[in-house]
Amino acid sequence: MSSWYEASARQRIDALADPDSFEEFIGPEEREVSPHLALFDLPEQFDDGIVVGRARLSGQPVLVAAQEGRFMGGAFGEVHGAKLTGLLRAARTLRCPVLILFDTGGVRLQEANAGEMAIAEIMREIVLARADDIPVVGLIGGRAGCFGGGGLIAGCCSTLVISEHGRLSVTGPEVIETNRGADEFDSKDRALVWRVTGGKHRYLIGGADLFVEDDVAAFRRAAIEGLSRRAALDILTLADEQKRLEHRLKRFGAMTEPRDVWAALGVLRPETVSGLATEAFLAEGLHKRENAHDAR
Amino acid sequence: MTLDEILGSLFPEGHHVDIGESILIGGAKLPQAGQLHVLGVHVKSFLGVEDACALARHAVDVLASGDGQPILLLVDSASQRMTRRDEMLGLNEYLAHLAKTLILAGIRGHRVIALLYGGSAAGAFIATALAADTLIALPGAHPEVMDLPSMARVTKLPITVLEEKAKATPIFAPGLDNLAQTGAVFETWSPDVPLDAQLREVLARPAVAGSRDALGAQRKGRPKAAAIAARIVELAQRSA
C-alpha cells in the first residue's frame, strides 16, 4: 500500500496513469512561475504548484490536473488557476474526460483577486464541459484537503472520490475560529475538525460519491469507476440536486454535531465511526448514508 | 445607491420583488424590454446554507420553466457564513449548486446579469456575482476576496506593508477598481443615468463571462492567465 496523502502531485499522477502515458503541458522546464510572488519576497515554483497534462487511465485518454499541497498550500494563483482553466477548455474541444487531484487551501492570498477569478472561471468551464456530457472527476485525499474555492470547484464535479484524510469544506476551521472564536469551531480539536470536514462525514451525507482507503491503487480504481458514472449536468440534474439539498436541510438542519447526523442515519455506535477501518466503515455506512445518486 | 433607489430606477413601473431579511426573490418588468426575474442578497448578509438553497430553488424553477427571461442578481453581501454548522451541512455543495444553476441558466438561453451595489466577498461572491454572465457594479461597490486585516494575519505582514504593496498591483487588495482590472467587473454604471436604460444596453450586448481572462489581460490586471490557458488548449490539441 502506498499513501495518497503522503504522495506529491507528480507521484499521484504516476500512480494513477498507465505507465509512461503522461505528457505534461507547460512543465517546470518552461518556468512559467507566478509573476506576483516576488512582490512578497516569496519563492516561486517552476510549475506554480499544479501539474497538468494528458494521460491514459486503463487505456482511456484523460486530461489530468494535480495540485501540489506542499507549495503554498496548493492555493490557486493566476498561473496555477489558468492551467486548470485551459485544461477544462481543452476537455471540451477534445471531448476528453478530466481528473482533478485536489490538494488546496483555496485562493492564494498574495494574488487573491486572480485566484478568485480563476475559481469562478474553472467552475464555469466545468459546467460547460458537463453540459456537453464530459466527466470531471475530483479526487480528494491530500495534505491540504480541499478548502475555500477548491470546495466550490469540487461541488461542480460529476463524481467525487474521497478518503478519510480528504477534508472538504469552504471556510477552514482556523479561519472560522479566527473570525468567530474557538466556541464556534475549535480548530485545535483535531477529532472535531475531522468529524466536520473529513471524508467519512462527506461520504455519509452524500457530499462525496466514493469512499476509498488512503492508497494510490484505491484512488486509481475509484477514478476509473468515476469516469464511467453519469456526467451530464442539465436542468434535471440541478432539480434533483435541489431536492437532495433541501432534504438534507430538513433532515439534519437542526443539528450541529456530525455524530448526531450519523445517528439519525441509523449508523450503529456513531462514536466509533472515526476509528473504523475502511472496510468496516463501508459495511456500516454504504446502505445507510444519503447517496447523492448522481444529483450533483 | 440604496436598494430602494436601485429598484425604483430599474423598474419605474413597479416590481414584485419580495424583500426578505437577507435575500430578494421576485420579478419585475423592465420598461421597453419585458419581464425579468430578480434574485439577490442584501444588507451585507452572510450567505449560508438556507439562503443559498432558497435562491437556488428560485433559479432552478426559472430554468425549468424555460421562459428564457433574463435573471438580474442584486448583490450586497458579506462572505459565505462562517459557522461549524454550515460546514457540517456541506456549504460547499449549496454554494456550488447555486453557482451551477446560474451558470447553466446562462448557457440555456437566459441572460444572467449581476449588479453589485454593495459588498461581496470570497465564496458568496463566487456563488452569486461571479456566476452571472455579466457583472456590473455601481460606484461604491466594494468586492473583496479577503479583507486586509485578515490578510495581514494570514500573510504575517503588517497592514501598512500590505497597503503599500497594494499601490503597486491590483492583484490582491480588495476593491472595485482592482477586481475590474482582473476582468471580473465588465463596467461600472453611472448613478446619474436611469438604471433601466443602462440595463437594456447591457442586455443588448453579448455575455462576457467566458472572456474575463482576456479582459483582465487587456486591463493589465491579470498579465498571464489568458495566455497560459490558451497555450494549454493548444498543447492539448497538438498532443491529441
Side-chain angles (χ1 to χ4, degrees), chain A residues 23 25-26 30 32-33 35-36 39-40 52 54 78-79 82-83 86-87 89-90 93-94 107 109-114 116-121 123-124 127-128 130-131 151-152 155-156 168-171 175-176 178-180 184-185 192 196 201-202 205-207 233-235 238-239 241-242 244-246 248-249 252-253 255-258 261 296, chain B residues 49-50 53 56-57 60 63-64 80-85 87-97 99-101 103-104 107-108 121-123 125-127 130-133 144-146 150-151 153-155 157 162 165 168-173 178-179 182-184 209-210 212-213 221-225 228-229 231-233 235-237 239-240:
Chain A
E23 180 191 341
F25 306 144
I26 314 188
E30 297 198 31
E32 277 290 3
V33 300
H36 309 297
L39 179 68
F40 291 87
V52 306
R54 184 183 176 84
E78 179 174 0
V79 172
K83 285 165 88 173
L87 196 76
R89 286 181 184 156
T93 338
L94 302 173
V107 166
L109 288 181
Q110 292 80 3
E111 37 193 301
N113 296 335
E116 181 96 345
M117 289 310 295
I119 284 158
E121 281 156 2
M123 290 168 68
R124 173 168 304 272
V127 172
L128 284 165
R130 291 188 55 199
L152 270 72
C156 295
L168 170 60
S169 249
V170 188
T171 317
V175 180
I176 295 181
T178 303
N179 280 280
R180 305 283 304 270
E184 178 62 41
F185 205 158
L192 175 66
V196 172
H201 177 62
R202 291 293 168 235
I205 62 167
L233 180 71
D234 52 28
I235 296 169
L238 290 172
E241 182 168 59
Q242 181 70 35
R244 178 170 77 80
L245 296 178
E246 285 176 1
R248 184 189 295 169
L249 268 190
F252 309 124
M255 303 170 187
T256 55
E257 165 55 53
V261 172
R296 88 165 70 251
Chain B
V49 287
E50 290 85 1
C53 199
R57 163 93 267 161
V60 166
L63 201 44
Q80 72 276 12
R81 194 164 63 194
M82 298 182 184
T83 72
R84 191 177 90 184
R85 171 179 169 273
E87 294 304 337
M88 184 198 78
L89 290 169
L91 181 59
N92 75 303
E93 289 180 84
Y94 288 85
L95 295 177
H97 173 66
K100 282 185 287 189
T101 308
I103 295 168
L104 193 73
I107 299 170
R108 294 281 183 260
F125 189 39
I126 294 175
L130 291 180
D133 76 43
E144 62 188 17
V145 178
M146 190 186 256
S150 302
M151 214 176 263
R153 259 198 317 270
V154 176
T155 59
L157 290 170
L162 286 178
K165 290 184 192 301
T169 173
I171 205 71
F172 73 92
N178 291 335
L179 263 304
T182 65
R212 287 181 294 206
D213 52 357
R222 275 195 292 166
K224 278 190 160 184
I228 293 273
R231 274 203 55 219
I232 296 278
V233 173
L235 291 166
Q237 277 171 325
S239 82

Side-chain angles (χ1 to χ4, degrees), chain A residues 25-160:
Chain A
F25 306 144
I26 314 188
E29 71 286 353
E30 297 198 31
R31 303 193 175 189
E32 277 290 3
V33 300
S34 162
H36 309 297
L37 293 176
L39 179 68
F40 291 87
D41 301 316
L42 288 167
E44 292 131 358
Q45 188 158 297
F46 292 154
D47 58 17
D48 205 35
I50 191 167
V51 183
V52 306
R54 184 183 176 84
R56 284 184 180 273
L57 179 56
S58 198
Q60 186 187 4
V62 285
L63 295 168
V64 190
Q67 296 182 294
E68 179 49 71
R70 288 180 285 197
F71 176 65
M72 305 210 69
F76 287 86
E78 179 174 0
V79 172
H80 181 118
K83 285 165 88 173
L84 181 49
T85 305
L87 196 76
L88 289 158
R89 286 181 184 156
R92 262 197 299 152
T93 338
L94 302 173
R95 295 207 56 82
C96 182
V98 183
L99 298 173
I100 304 176
L101 286 51
F102 290 99
D103 200 349
T104 186
V107 166
R108 187 184 296 167
L109 288 181
Q110 292 80 3
E111 37 193 301
N113 296 335
E116 181 96 345
M117 289 310 295
I119 284 158
E121 281 156 2
I122 289 161
M123 290 168 68
R124 173 168 304 272
E125 294 301 332
I126 295 178
V127 172
L128 284 165
R130 291 188 55 199
D132 278 354
D133 207 10
I134 295 166
V136 181
V137 175
L139 311 178
I140 303 171
R143 288 164 175 272
C146 183
F147 286 94
L152 270 72
I153 295 173
C156 295
C157 289
S158 53
T159 298
L160 282 180

